[in-house]
Amino acid sequence: MHPQSNDSYQLRSGTSISPLQDEAFHNLLNELLQQLPAKFMMLVDVAGQVLVAKGEHSNVNLVMLGSLVAGDLAASQEIARLTNEYQDYQIVLREGEESHTFIAESGNYLALFVQVGHEVPLGWARMLITKASQQLEEIMQENEPSQEEVAGFELEMATTLEEADDDLSDLFGDALDDMWMD
Amino acid sequence: MRINWQLRRLNLKIVYYGPALSGKTTNLEQIHLSVDPKRRSDLVSLKTHEDRTLYFDFLQLELGKLAGLTPQIQLYTVPGQAYYEASRRIVLRGADGVVFVADSDVRRMRANLVAWRNMREHLQSFGIDMDKFPVVLQFNKRDLPTAVPAATMSKLLRLNGQPLFNAIAFKGKGVLPTLKAITKSVVGQVQKELA
């Protein structure tokens, strides 16, 4: 359910990415990168956390860009909601001289950022990005880890925690102390 | 919260909420200053020409490897000014925990109360039970001669046992304890959910 249709959607994203989903994201983005072709693309969740980046991004600060992409899309969604123009798989397009950028919504949890060269037709790019956004959402929905897999992950985590012989929240607190410079 | 089981990565989102000029951005600036640069991102600030938060500030912390996980904490602030209501709601989406930064100045008590109620309303509209959601309070600007006693502020906000910290954020005082408390509270909640 999308935000425009019901205000009672969950605040916490609470998403869990399985190895299968992770692999499917990589495969899909590799394909899209070649098909468009794109210079660079990045899949982030709605909190701005980067899941996958493809293409040339050695000079890109992915963490900063991730937060801005998520913020940009969230603002666009809210503008659309307030003006009753909301639709699924919204795309925000910015046209530039050398390249164009797209920020596409992909379901409740994900956003796709794509940068293409100016030679790539916008209609072509829009079509492929919309399709990819739908497929990404399907991956989120269909490839959810099974109950057995989740139980396995949790058992592994519980075992690790037991071995750590400490409370996890204390470990986090100690880690923050360690990284703090007086 | 997002867990990438492939990478064993745990991502948590913490939002600093509060009235205008209470010190939300200052908290993130102090964290940015005080944390080893190898363990944090750059600070993203979307500000107006008047240096007020327009949309959000953002900072990511990398905690290294903990109990087989590689946790990342994303810190956001909301814009405090009243007319940025829609932006506050957007930033609050997906939060795993909230730090409410209250201004201790006696002249800001009404603003604190309005922001506190406003935050509760947003959380409730998202279907969140405030009593089960990690919230930590920070009473900032304790050095002001006009600072209201913490007990009075607690009563005004009708606090219900939430962790509370006094701070002078621009001097860095109280910033780390607040961050540690909300992080531990969020992690405790994650543990409960995984149990």
Side-chain angles (χ1 to χ4, degrees):
Chain A
M1 188 171 290
H2 286 288
Q4 88 291 355
S5 54
N6 188 341
D7 266 355
S8 66
Y9 64 95
Q10 279 204 319
L11 173 66
R12 303 181 57 152
S13 54
T15 51
S16 179
I17 309 293
S18 72
L20 195 63
Q21 287 171 314
D22 193 59
E23 187 184 346
F25 290 150
H26 278 273
N27 291 341
L28 182 65
L29 263 60
N30 277 333
E31 199 177 313
L32 183 62
L33 189 76
Q34 289 178 3
Q35 268 188 316
L36 278 165
K39 290 181 169 181
F40 163 60
M41 61 179 62
M42 183 171 73
L43 181 64
V44 302
D45 78 358
V46 288
Q49 298 152 356
V50 180
L51 276 75
V52 181
K54 298 284 179 188
E56 178 50 48
H57 59 268
S58 55
N59 294 323
V60 179
N61 186 328
L62 293 179
V63 175
M64 288 178 77
L65 187 59
S67 69
L68 294 170
V69 166
D72 191 326
L73 183 67
S76 299
Q77 287 174 334
E78 197 65 8
I79 291 167
R81 191 178 69 87
L82 291 171
T83 55
N84 296 317
E85 282 296 336
Y86 194 90
Q87 57 182 17
D88 290 349
Y89 309 109
Q90 284 208 104
I91 289 184
V92 180
L93 163 65
R94 287 188 177 80
E95 296 183 59
E97 282 189 19
E98 293 297 317
S99 61
H100 311 305
T101 60
F102 293 83
I103 296 176
E105 169 196 306
S106 179
N108 281 340
Y109 299 121
L110 303 176
L112 178 63
F113 174 89
V114 180
Q115 185 176 37
V116 298
H118 65 91
E119 70 283 358
V120 176
L122 291 177
W124 168 250
R126 181 192 295 271
M127 183 187 76
L128 289 183
I129 290 168
T130 302
K131 188 177 159 196
S133 299
Q134 292 166 351
Q135 289 172 325
L136 287 166
E137 188 182 18
E138 285 166 16
I139 291 169
M140 278 300 286
Q141 290 172 347
E142 292 174 6
N143 292 352
E144 282 184 0
S146 66
Q147 285 190 335
E148 290 77 18
E149 281 177 306
V150 171
F153 294 140
E154 289 177 359
L155 179 64
E156 186 183 323
M157 189 181 290
T159 308
T160 314
L161 288 178
E162 205 172 321
E163 286 169 359
D165 196 27
D166 212 338
D167 186 71
L168 185 59
S169 58
D170 285 339
L171 287 177
F172 273 68
D174 292 344
L176 285 169
D177 277 333
D178 288 344
M179 59 204 283
W180 201 263
M181 305 180 302
D182 289 325
Chain B
M1 173 185 69
R2 178 168 59 75
I3 302 174
N4 184 327
W5 293 106
Q6 177 88 331
L7 302 174
R8 297 291 185 269
R9 183 174 291 156
L10 175 69
N11 294 98
L12 303 172
K13 177 178 177 180
I14 293 170
V15 174
Y16 283 68
Y17 200 100
L21 294 171
S22 64
K24 303 175 290 298
T25 298
T26 307
N27 265 269
L28 256 62
E29 286 170 346
Q30 286 295 329
I31 295 168
H32 182 257
L33 271 176
S34 305
V35 166
D36 181 350
K38 292 177 196 151
R39 311 285 292 277
R40 54 131 173 98
S41 71
D42 290 333
L43 180 63
V44 178
S45 284
L46 302 181
K47 294 182 175 181
T48 65
H49 291 304
E50 291 80 33
D51 215 30
R52 306 288 295 276
T53 303
L54 172 64
Y55 193 177
F56 59 76
D57 307 298
F58 167 83
L59 180 65
Q60 180 168 289
L61 304 178
E62 314 256 351
L63 270 63
K65 204 154 180 87
L66 293 179
L69 294 169
T70 49
Q72 293 180 332
I73 302 176
Q74 297 195 307
L75 305 175
Y76 282 87
T77 67
V78 297
Q81 289 173 284
Y83 41 84
Y84 293 136
E85 189 60 51
S87 303
R88 275 194 290 280
R89 193 170 189 277
I90 289 170
V91 177
L92 204 49
R93 262 172 64 181
D96 295 298
V98 173
V99 172
F100 186 87
V101 182
D103 192 326
S104 296
D105 188 337
V106 66
R107 290 163 297 190
R108 300 295 292 160
M109 290 304 112
R110 181 174 162 73
N112 288 331
L113 190 57
V114 168
W116 178 248
R117 285 180 179 160
N118 173 267
M119 183 186 79
R120 291 183 70 103
E121 283 167 12
H122 283 315
L123 291 173
Q124 282 165 1
S125 80
F126 292 135
I128 296 294
D129 180 352
M130 270 281 284
D131 293 332
K132 293 177 184 166
F133 187 71
V135 176
V136 166
L137 280 98
Q138 183 187 83
F139 290 170
N140 193 20
K141 307 187 188 177
R142 297 308 300 169
D143 57 333
L144 289 178
T146 53
V148 172
T152 308
M153 289 178 69
S154 297
K155 197 178 279 186
L156 179 74
L157 297 174
R158 294 185 184 174
L159 300 187
N160 189 23
Q162 291 93 343
L164 165 61
F165 295 88
N166 289 323
I168 308 171
F170 85 98
K171 290 182 178 172
K173 288 185 181 174
V175 173
L176 176 61
T178 306
L179 175 63
K180 277 177 69 177
I182 188 62
T183 302
K184 290 173 79 166
S185 179
V186 166
V187 171
Q189 187 67 25
V190 170
Q191 273 184 302
K192 275 184 206 163
E193 289 176 9
L194 287 174

